[in-house]
Amino acid sequence: MKAFVATGGPELVRQAEVGEPVQRPDEALVKVDAYSVNRGEIFQLEQSAEGARPGKDIAGLVVQAAPDGSGPKVGQRVVGHPSSSGWAELVAVPVGSLALLPDSVTAVQAAALPLAGLTALRLLRTTGCVAGRRILLTGASGGVGHYATELAAAAGALVTAVSASSERGERLGALGAAAVVHEVEDARGTFDLVLESTGGKNLTSALSRLAPRGQLVWFGQASREPALLDFFDFFAGPVSATVRHFSYADVDEPDAADLETLVRLVAEDRLHPELGRTADWQQTAGVLADLRDRRIRGNAVLTIS
């Protein structure tokens, strides 16, 4: 079968012939119809050895059920979050990382959900109730940012979204952001909660915008610049503020339940994947380059014809 593998060089990936997946007892074999690529995966590919198999976000059709009899059956449409190897014609996915798709949710919509959607959903769950809270969200024009904006606004938060340009941030207002700014310094007032995903100077700037007893949650470093924090400045800043790190993978339960939640919200027209680019999977390398250079807002999805 065909799949994309890491090159170990600047082009990042190439298409190659690989062996078909060998299922474990609790894995279903899925024919992939669409998959999403994420900026974080680009950073991983830059460090990957030649032949590594990327791909965490897939949607498709079960062609062989799990040998242990669990999970989806043959012929059912699913969205999945494998640990790797999803950029391929076939992938074996643990049944705990699969959710069924209703007819109203397309494979392209579903493929954009797992990594970005799980991150946004769990990030907000980590912070507790957000109703009535003022939230500052950096890196808002990516896949996670669009989901986090819509979910938080729907829960009653007042979201100020930081996006580098008007073009990249144009959908955030429609998704419920109370304000969209281009720099952290342009945000007005102080915030009960800062969701920071860019690192570098933005983390320090965002920290200074916390209200007393506010919280900053750091969940990414898209700028790839180190964040330098002077704790003397921090102690002189907002009273009793906290800083914490978040990882979307730090959960005790399988992904299936949260994937089911995301799918349900899309089916009910309450969550809207921002599909900044949809293309045939032969264009994967070019889409990765555009995503790395911030020429795509939201999610990028590749389809296998």
Side-chain angles (χ1 to χ4, degrees), residues 2-191:
K2 292 183 174 63
F4 278 93
V5 301
T7 65
E11 292 185 355
L12 298 183
V13 294
R14 63 179 175 84
Q15 197 174 78
E17 287 287 339
V18 301
E20 292 192 4
V22 177
Q23 292 169 265
R24 295 178 179 175
D26 66 341
E27 290 181 335
L29 188 64
V30 179
K31 180 181 74 68
V32 179
D33 292 324
Y35 58 82
S36 179
V37 298
N38 301 279
R39 288 195 86 237
E41 291 174 300
I42 296 172
F43 304 152
Q44 293 175 356
L45 281 167
E46 291 174 346
Q47 308 297 323
S48 294
E50 184 178 2
R53 296 281 307 281
K56 293 177 176 292
D57 294 0
I58 66 98
L61 188 74
V62 174
V63 293
Q64 191 163 318
D68 67 5
S70 63
K73 308 305 179 186
V74 172
Q76 291 185 310
R77 298 174 63 242
V78 292
V79 58
H81 190 48
S83 60
S84 64
S85 306
W87 302 354
E89 292 177 306
L90 295 169
V91 61
V93 186
V95 296
S97 296
L98 289 171
L100 296 179
L101 292 178
D103 292 341
S104 59
V105 178
T106 69
V108 170
Q109 289 175 310
L113 288 174
L115 184 58
L118 290 173
T119 300
L121 183 67
R122 292 169 179 172
L123 178 64
L124 293 173
R125 183 182 296 150
T126 297
T127 67
C129 178
V130 298
R133 302 178 74 187
R134 287 174 51 82
I135 296 177
L136 180 66
L137 173 65
T138 67
S141 56
V144 176
H146 282 85
Y147 288 132
T149 296
E150 187 167 23
L151 290 170
L158 292 170
V159 180
T160 294
V162 183
S163 175
S165 68
S166 299
E167 180 183 4
R168 288 181 59 79
E170 66 178 341
R171 275 281 291 158
L172 295 168
L175 294 176
V180 180
V181 298
H182 303 318
E183 301 285 347
V184 171
E185 292 78 8
D186 296 333
R188 296 183 178 180
T190 58
F191 297 88

